[in-house]
């Protein structure tokens, strides 16, 4: 630093203490070049640093003052400004300035000298520098040429790069386009993510519940696996049994048919033989008659013969007498020789008749022999026919025995069928859920385009899946069976007919219809009885029961059916078959619980339910039931108009008790079929519900949640099942759980405005569908079939 400063003008004493140290190096250099314009090249000056050190010593004598151009100009301007101050100060200032200027002038003179020397040395260095410069210029030119070449190369490069750039640009545009699209999709994805987030939250909740369920299910699964293996063994055994029984059955059937054929041919044969017998009997009778007549004739002839013989004897006696007389007369010869000749002729003719009579007797005797021969033959054929007849009779008895045997086998096969049928139902699960979606009705508003229900078509869920779309979200569900809006009443009934058969086989069966008002519960249960193809499950079940009971009558079964129908409204039972028809006033009293009839529910030890004061009808024909159904529908509709659409706010329970006795096998069955049209499951907005409506809603909510509580408690095999929490569950207690069979229809309306309620119904049904009630009885207690059948 010190060496650099030596080439600069002395600094003014007024200059800032930090001096140039405070000014950036670049600025200082600029000042130097401006201020010392005479210097040729800074580098050259630097080279002179050592030589100039001696000169600097003289500058340092001037008080080590350095000046920059600005400072000098500032000094000069200070002088110019001086006029504004008072004279004394001005003089002092001026002298100071003059002093400083003198120093400055001195420094300039010294600097001039040093500059002359500097100039010379600079000239020398300039020359060498010029040489260097020329040399460098040459180098630079060659380099420039090289550079030109490289520039042209680079230009070419640039052109190609421009092309590339253009391409890149287009690529970039594409990428931007892509990016934009991606952005859009990302926004959509974010929306989806948000909805998924919501769903995730719900799913998490469900997962929690599911986890709990999983633990209980795992436990159950283990037990079920054990049960399953034993069941599989049992099943395979049953299958082999079934196979053998089937084979035996087919063999028996073949035998039976051949025997029947035999029998019919034998019958034909026997008939012909009987005909023959009859004809031979007739012949025999004829022959006997002929024989009798011949015998009569023979006796007549014998009599005649006897007479003739007597005559002859008499004649002989006479002739002897006559001969004696002749002898007497011969003595009197000549007297009566004429008389003698006549008498001889007479005796000759008599002898002739006698021989004729003899011939005739011989002929008759021959005829008699032939007739008796014939009679003998007829007798022989009769005895032959008789033995044949006996043989046929024996064969017939044998065949009848075999037929009875076959019928017995058939009875056993029927029992086995019941057993297998029940096993199949047990394997299907003792609680099942079917979903039925009704068609869109004109009163729904006919918004066909806004379909909210879809049916998945994948093979594993076909016929079992249903999707509900609500505000863009798809909720998929699967059940044991899903009926779409096109399903007919017949198709629906076909699926439950096996359950109805179970009731006839001695099981307790409950079929519920669940769903909001207007979703098709009553249509499913009752249908439109006036049009045969729209009849509901109740009339169809009854028809099946009557038909089956009649065909089972051939196997010795006699059935007795009892029917009752009731309604539960606001936790109060109302008899729909009561003969003294309830008036509107009584209805009101019944609802407030002040009616004379109590309808108390009790269960006996055999699992039979009894409701006091309830009307129960013995029915033996479908006609009788139809009239009862009509009566019930009428008393329900009376309630509907008078009690603010009560029908949709009450549970309808149809109960049929079936008791069957087989006198030949002494078996007994007691089954129960309950068909229940539940109250509408829709939630009422709490704010709008007051008074009676609020009471109704609370009662419905209570009983429906009691029903689900019972189902879930049974599924979890809890010690306490809250049957007593509602009238409905208490009434159905023996028919829920155990080895009873439960089916729930969840009815769905496709109307978009009902989507919320439909979702609630489907969720409820899905929870019920996840339940398995009851361990199949045969698994736990391998009871013989008979004992099972003798217990209701
Ligand atoms: P809910 O008993 O659930 O209140 P309904 O059985 O009274 O409902 O049904 C409401 C309306 O829809 C009725 O007019 C009924 O005839 C009609 N309906 C329901 N299900 C069907 C169906 N599967 N086919 C034709 N019409 C139906
Ligand atoms: Mg209804």
């Amino acid at each position: 630093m010190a060496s650099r400063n030596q080439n600069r003008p002395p600094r003014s004493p007024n200059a800032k203490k930090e001096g140039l140290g405070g000014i950036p190096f670049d600025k200082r250099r600029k000042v130097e070049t401006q201020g010392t314009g005479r210097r040729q090249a800074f580098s050259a000056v630097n080279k002179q640093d050592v030589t100039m050190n001696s000169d600097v010593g003289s500058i340092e004598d001037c008080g080590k003052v350095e000046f920059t151009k600005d400072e000098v100009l500032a000094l000069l301007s200070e002088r110019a400004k001086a006029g504004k101050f008072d004279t004394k100060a001005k003089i002092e200032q001026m002298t100071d300035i003059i002093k400083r200027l003198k120093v400055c002038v001195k420094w300039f003179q010294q600097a001039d000298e040093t500059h002359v020397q500097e100039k010379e040395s600079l000239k020398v260095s300039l020359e060498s520098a010029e040489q260097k410069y020329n040399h460098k210029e040459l180098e630079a030119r060659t380099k420039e040429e090289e550079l030109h070449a490289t520039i042209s190369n680079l230009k070419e490069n640039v052109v190609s790069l421009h092309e590339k750039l253009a391409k890149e640009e287009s690529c970039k545009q594409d990428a931007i386009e892509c990016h934009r699209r991606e952005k859009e999709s990302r926004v959509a994805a974010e929306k989806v993510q948000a909805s998924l987030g919501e769903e995730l939250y719900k799913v998490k909740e469900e997962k929690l519940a599911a986890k709990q369920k999983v633990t209980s299910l795992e436990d159950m699964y283990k037990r079920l696996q054990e049960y399953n293996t034993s069941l599989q063994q049992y099943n395979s055994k049953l299958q082999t049994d079934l196979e053998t029984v089937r084979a035996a059955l087919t063999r028996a059937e073949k035998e039976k048919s051949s025997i029947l054929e035999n029998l019919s041919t034998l019958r034909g044969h026997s008939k012909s033989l009987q005909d023959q017998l009859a004809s031979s009997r007739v012949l025999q009778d004829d022959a006997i008659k002929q024989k009798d007549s011949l015998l009569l004739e023979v006796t007549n002839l014998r009599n005649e013969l006897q007479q003739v013989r007597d005559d002859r004897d008499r004649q002989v006696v006479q002739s002897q007498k006559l001969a004696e007389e002749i002898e007497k007369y011969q003595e009197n010869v000549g007297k009566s020789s004429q008389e003698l000749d006549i008498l001889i002729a007479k005796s000759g003719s008599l002898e002739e008749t006698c021989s004729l009579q003899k011939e005739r007797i011989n002929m008759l005797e021959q005829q008699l022999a032939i007739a008796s021969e014939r009679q003998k033959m007829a007798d022989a054929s009769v005895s032959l026919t008789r033995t044949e007849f006996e043989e046929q009779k024996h064969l017939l008895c044998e065949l009848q025995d075999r037929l009875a045997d076959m019928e017995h086998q058939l009875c056993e096969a029927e029992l086995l069928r019941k057993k297998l049928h029940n096993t199949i139902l047990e394997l299907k699960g003792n609680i099942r859920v079917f979903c039925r979606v009704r068609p869109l009705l004109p009163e729904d508003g006919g918004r066909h385009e806004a379909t909210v229900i879809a049916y998945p078509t994948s093979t594993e869920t076909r016929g079992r899946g249903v999707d509900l779309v609500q505000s863009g979200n798809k909720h998929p569900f699967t059940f044991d069976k899903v009926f779409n809006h096109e399903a007919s009443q017949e198709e629906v009934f076909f699926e439950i007919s096996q359950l109805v058969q179970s009731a006839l086989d001695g099981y307790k069966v409950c079929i519920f219809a669940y769903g909001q008002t207007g979703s098709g519960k009553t249509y499913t249960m009752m249908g439109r009885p006036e049009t045969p193809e729209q009849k509901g499950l109740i009339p169809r079940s009854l028809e099946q029961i009557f038909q089956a009971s009649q065909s089972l009558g051939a196997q010795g079964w006699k059935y007795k059916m009892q029917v009752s129908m009731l309604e539960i409204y606001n936790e109060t039972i109302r008899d729909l078959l009561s003969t003294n028809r309830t008036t509107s006033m009584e209805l009101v009293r019944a609802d407030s619980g002040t009616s004379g009839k109590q309808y108390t529910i009790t269960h006996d030890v055999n699992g039979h339910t009894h409701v006091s004061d309830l009307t129960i009808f013995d029915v033996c024909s479908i006609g009788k039931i139809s009239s009862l159904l009509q009566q019930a529908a009428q008393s329900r509709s009376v309630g509907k108009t008078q009690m603010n659409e009560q029908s949709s706010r009450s549970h309808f329970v149809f109960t049929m008790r079936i008791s069957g006795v087989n006198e030949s096998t002494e078996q007994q069955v007691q089954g129960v079929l309950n068909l229940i049209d539940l109250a509408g499951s829709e939630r009422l907005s709490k704010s709008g519900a007051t008074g009676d409506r609020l009471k109704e809603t609370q009662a419905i909510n209570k009983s429906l949640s009691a029903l689900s509580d019972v189902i879930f408690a049974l599924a979890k095999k809890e010690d306490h099942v809250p049957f007593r929490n509602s009238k409905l569950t208490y009434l159905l207690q023996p028919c829920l759980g155990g080895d009873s069979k439960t089916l729930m229809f969840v009815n769905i309306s496709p109307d978009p405005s009902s989507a919320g309620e439909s979702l609630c119904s489907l969720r409820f049904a899905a929870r019920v569908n996840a339940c398995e009630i009851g361990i199949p009885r045969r698994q736990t207690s391998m009871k013989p079939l008979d004992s099972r059948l003798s217990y209701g």
Side-chain angles (χ1 to χ4, degrees):
M1 188 71 165
S3 61
R4 264 193 198 186
N5 288 344
Q6 285 157 10
N7 291 324
R8 291 178 192 159
R11 188 176 266 263
S12 150
N14 279 0
K16 286 177 186 169
K17 280 260 167 79
E18 53 271 42
L20 276 177
I23 302 167
F25 180 74
D26 289 348
K27 198 176 171 188
R28 274 183 278 154
R29 205 159 118 186
K30 196 175 160 198
V31 171
E32 280 161 6
T33 43
Q34 280 171 349
T36 56
R38 286 159 286 174
R39 280 192 263 183
Q40 287 291 316
F42 193 68
S43 57
V45 178
N46 282 342
K47 279 179 187 172
Q48 302 297 318
D49 279 357
V50 183
T51 50
M52 282 161 76
N53 264 346
S54 53
D55 303 327
V56 172
S58 59
I59 298 166
E60 275 168 353
D61 293 343
C62 305
K64 285 187 185 173
V65 182
E66 281 182 310
F67 287 95
T68 63
K69 188 186 171 187
D70 292 338
E71 281 165 342
V72 174
L73 285 174
L75 271 178
L76 291 173
S77 67
E78 253 178 70
R79 193 175 58 97
K81 281 181 210 162
K84 290 173 191 171
F85 303 100
D86 64 277
T87 359
K88 205 181 165 189
K90 209 169 151 188
I91 290 162
E92 278 173 14
Q93 212 180 353
M94 289 308 283
T95 46
D96 184 43
I97 290 168
I98 288 162
K99 253 189 222 169
R100 276 154 64 191
L101 280 173
K102 268 179 189 168
V103 174
C104 197
V105 167
K106 220 176 183 182
W107 181 79
F108 272 114
Q109 279 169 357
Q110 285 172 352
D112 254 357
E113 280 168 23
T114 51
H115 279 171
V116 170
Q117 289 170 357
E118 218 176 279
K119 206 176 169 183
E120 276 167 15
S121 68
L122 280 174
K123 251 181 193 169
V124 175
S125 59
L126 184 66
E127 274 164 19
S128 70
E130 254 171 6
Q131 280 175 352
K132 268 185 194 169
Y133 171 74
N134 286 339
H135 184 68
K136 289 262 167 162
E137 205 174 43
L138 266 174
E139 274 181 9
R141 257 184 209 148
T142 52
K143 269 201 180 155
E144 199 185 343
E145 278 163 18
E146 278 171 22
L147 281 171
H148 272 300
T150 45
I151 282 167
S152 62
N153 279 345
L154 282 172
K155 267 180 188 163
E156 280 168 22
N157 274 357
V158 163
V159 170
S160 70
L161 281 172
H162 268 298
E163 282 169 12
K164 268 186 194 169
L165 188 68
K167 270 189 219 162
E168 296 275 283
E169 204 89 276
S170 68
C171 279
K172 196 177 135 194
Q173 286 301 330
D174 288 350
I176 284 167
E177 185 63 21
C178 268
H179 179 66
R180 192 182 57 75
R181 266 185 266 133
E182 258 169 38
K183 235 182 192 172
E184 282 172 6
S185 59
R186 206 178 109 200
V187 169
E190 267 167 5
K191 273 185 204 166
V192 172
Q193 197 191 7
S195 70
L196 282 175
E198 269 175 41
E199 234 166 79
L200 185 71
Y201 177 69
K202 277 183 229 153
V203 165
K204 266 181 188 163
E205 278 181 341
E206 271 168 31
K207 193 181 145 194
L208 266 181
K211 255 185 190 166
Q212 288 175 343
K213 221 185 251 180
V214 161
T215 47
S216 68
L217 279 177
E218 268 171 3
D219 186 34
M220 193 167 139
Y221 177 70
K222 267 184 208 162
R223 265 182 285 137
L224 274 179
Q225 262 184 342
E226 284 165 23
Y227 161 60
N228 198 16
T229 48
S230 63
L231 198 65
Q232 270 171 354
Q233 288 168 355
Y234 175 62
N235 197 17
S236 57
K237 213 183 96 196
L238 277 181
Q239 291 276 7
T240 49
D241 278 5
L242 182 67
E243 287 305 313
T244 51
V245 166
R246 262 192 196 144
L249 196 65
T250 48
R251 256 187 285 126
E253 243 150 32
K254 270 185 203 163
E255 252 173 71
K256 188 183 155 190
S257 61
S258 69
I259 283 164
L260 281 175
E261 259 175 45
N262 258 359
L263 190 66
S264 64
T265 53
L266 282 174
R267 269 188 187 143
H269 192 55
S270 144
K271 205 167 172 232
S272 72
L273 281 174
Q274 270 174 349
D275 286 350
Q276 229 175 310
L277 184 67
S279 65
S280 55
R281 264 190 188 148
V282 170
L283 264 180
Q284 194 190 0
D285 287 348
D286 280 356
I288 287 166
K289 270 183 201 164
Q290 219 174 336
K291 188 185 147 193
D292 287 346
S293 67
L294 281 172
L295 279 173
L296 205 70
E297 218 175 312
V298 166
T299 46
N300 281 344
L301 283 171
R302 273 192 182 136
N303 287 342
E304 240 175 84
L305 191 67
Q306 198 59 42
Q307 260 181 359
V308 169
R309 270 182 187 150
D310 287 348
D311 270 0
R312 194 194 65 185
D313 288 345
R314 257 185 283 128
Q315 297 281 352
V316 168
V317 171
Q318 228 176 343
S319 69
Q320 277 172 355
K321 271 183 193 169
L322 281 172
E324 279 171 13
E325 260 180 49
I326 285 166
E327 276 176 14
K328 276 180 203 170
Y329 280 110
Q330 263 177 354
E331 289 167 10
N332 312 319
V333 179
K335 279 186 189 174
S336 41
S337 61
Q338 254 183 327
E339 245 180 68
L340 182 72
D341 288 340
I342 294 161
L343 282 171
I344 285 165
K346 222 180 177 178
S347 98
S349 71
L350 276 172
E351 267 171 2
E352 232 172 67
T353 34
C354 192
S355 64
L356 264 173
Q357 291 288 0
K358 252 183 190 169
E359 266 175 29
R360 214 171 151 190
I361 285 166
N362 279 341
M363 219 170 78
L364 283 172
E365 268 171 352
Q366 271 176 0
Q367 264 185 8
L368 186 68
I370 289 165
S372 51
E373 193 91 335
R374 261 199 197 163
Q375 194 191 355
K376 264 183 200 165
M377 262 164 66
D379 279 349
S381 84
V382 164
S383 68
L384 200 79
T385 319
R386 246 189 209 142
T387 49
E388 242 175 54
F389 182 65
E390 287 303 315
E391 271 173 22
Q392 294 290 348
K393 233 183 183 173
H394 187 67
L395 199 69
L396 199 67
C397 281
E398 254 181 28
L399 284 173
Q400 266 165 354
D401 284 352
R402 272 177 97 169
L403 199 65
D405 241 31
M406 291 284 156
E407 268 164 6
H408 181 69
Q409 272 184 22
L410 209 65
C411 270
E412 278 183 353
E414 174 66 18
L415 285 182
L416 193 69
R417 182 204 62 71
K418 282 180 185 174
K419 201 169 100 177
L420 291 172
H421 171 75
N422 188 51
T423 315
I424 289 165
L425 286 185
E426 277 167 357
L427 288 173
K428 278 184 180 175
N430 277 2
I431 180 155
R432 286 187 289 152
V433 179
F434 289 177
C435 173
R436 185 180 194 185
V437 183
R438 75 154 163 76
L440 208 61
L441 301 171
E443 53 264 39
D444 290 337
R447 282 175 289 167
H448 286 277
E449 72 284 357
T451 36
V452 290
I453 304 284
Y455 307 96
T457 51
S458 71
T459 41
E460 84 227 57
T461 51
R462 184 173 298 147
R464 292 179 55 244
V466 61
D467 296 340
L468 183 104
V469 183
Q470 193 200 21
S471 53
N473 293 335
K474 194 171 104 174
H475 304 275
F477 294 94
T478 46
F479 298 104
D480 292 300
K481 182 92 193 154
V482 171
F483 298 100
N484 64 17
H485 58 276
E486 285 173 337
S488 67
Q489 297 281 61
E490 193 182 351
E491 283 169 52
V492 175
F493 176 71
F494 178 76
E495 286 296 325
I496 67 134
S497 59
Q498 286 182 328
L499 272 184
V500 176
Q501 181 62 42
S502 278
L504 211 60
D505 291 348
Y507 285 89
K508 292 186 171 112
V509 177
C510 279
I511 302 177
F512 293 96
Y514 180 94
Q516 70 178 113
T517 302
S519 58
K521 298 185 295 297
T522 308
Y523 183 84
T524 300
M525 282 298 173
M526 293 294 289
R528 296 192 187 122
E530 60 278 8
T531 35
E533 64 272 17
Q534 293 202 63
K535 275 187 295 190
L537 298 186
I538 294 178
R540 281 173 198 268
S541 303
L542 301 176
E543 274 168 22
Q544 183 185 335
I545 284 173
F546 279 111
Q547 272 169 14
S549 66
Q550 268 165 18
S551 61
L552 283 169
Q555 289 171 29
W557 283 98
K558 275 192 186 142
Y559 284 96
K560 190 179 150 202
M561 330 270 183
Q562 290 182 317
V563 164
S564 66
M565 287 180 233
L566 58 87
E567 189 176 44
I568 303 175
Y569 175 71
N570 276 355
E571 285 300 288
T572 316
I573 290 179
R574 203 158 75 81
D575 186 359
L576 293 174
L577 297 181
S578 176
T579 37
N580 50 343
R581 288 285 295 277
T582 334
T583 63
S584 59
M585 271 321 286
E586 277 170 335
L587 244 173
V588 176
R589 271 195 279 120
D591 293 329
S592 52
T594 54
S595 134
K597 294 183 176 173
Q598 290 303 309
Y599 301 118
T600 322
I601 304 167
T602 46
H603 304 296
D604 66 17
V605 282
N606 295 326
H608 295 152
T609 306
H610 183 73
V611 182
S612 64
D613 296 324
L614 187 68
T615 317
I616 296 172
F617 275 100
D618 282 344
V619 284
C620 46
S621 72
I622 192 79
K624 173 74 182 166
I625 291 228
S626 300
S627 72
L628 290 180
L629 284 173
Q630 239 170 353
Q631 188 185 332
Q634 219 163 9
S635 52
R636 244 199 140 189
S637 66
V638 166
K640 184 173 174 176
T641 49
Q642 292 180 349
M643 297 303 295
N644 192 15
E645 294 222 306
Q646 188 185 321
S647 76
S648 69
R649 318 300 304 153
S650 67
H651 308 303
F652 167 72
V653 183
F654 172 94
T655 306
M656 184 180 229
R657 258 170 256 287
I658 305 163
S659 354
V661 185
N662 193 330
E663 276 166 3
S664 54
T665 57
E666 293 187 346
Q667 288 170 339
Q668 282 189 4
V669 290
Q670 282 202 316
V672 184
L673 177 66
N674 289 299
L675 300 161
I676 302 127
D677 183 357
L678 290 170
S681 64
E682 63 273 14
R683 300 151 300 170
L684 271 189
S685 61
K686 279 264 159 60
S687 54
T690 51
D692 287 349
R693 205 77 174 138
L694 182 65
K695 199 175 146 198
E696 267 180 8
T697 313
Q698 282 167 345
I700 293 165
N701 286 348
K702 189 183 153 204
S703 57
L704 287 179
S705 64
L707 179 62
S708 56
D709 289 347
V710 163
I711 290 172
F712 299 141
L714 287 169
K716 286 183 200 155
K717 296 185 190 58
E718 282 173 5
D719 294 335
H720 174 68
V721 180
F723 287 114
R724 280 178 181 271
N725 280 3
S726 81
K727 277 260 158 62
L728 181 69
T729 49
Y730 190 53
L731 178 73
L732 298 174
Q733 178 171 353
C735 300
L736 291 168
D739 60 344
S740 68
K741 298 176 193 312
T742 308
L743 175 74
M744 185 169 280
F745 271 94
V746 55
N747 287 91
I748 298 296
S749 155
D751 184 11
S753 63
S754 303
E757 282 302 331
S758 300
L759 187 60
C760 284
S761 297
L762 286 169
R763 281 190 175 143
F764 172 79
R767 282 178 67 206
V768 173
N769 198 31
C771 291
E772 268 304 324
I773 292 184
I775 296 285
R777 198 183 178 113
R778 217 169 298 287
Q779 161 70 15
T780 50
S781 66
M782 297 303 279
K783 277 191 180 177
L785 191 67
D786 286 0
S787 71
R788 161 76 201 90
L789 287 171
S790 64
Y791 190 73

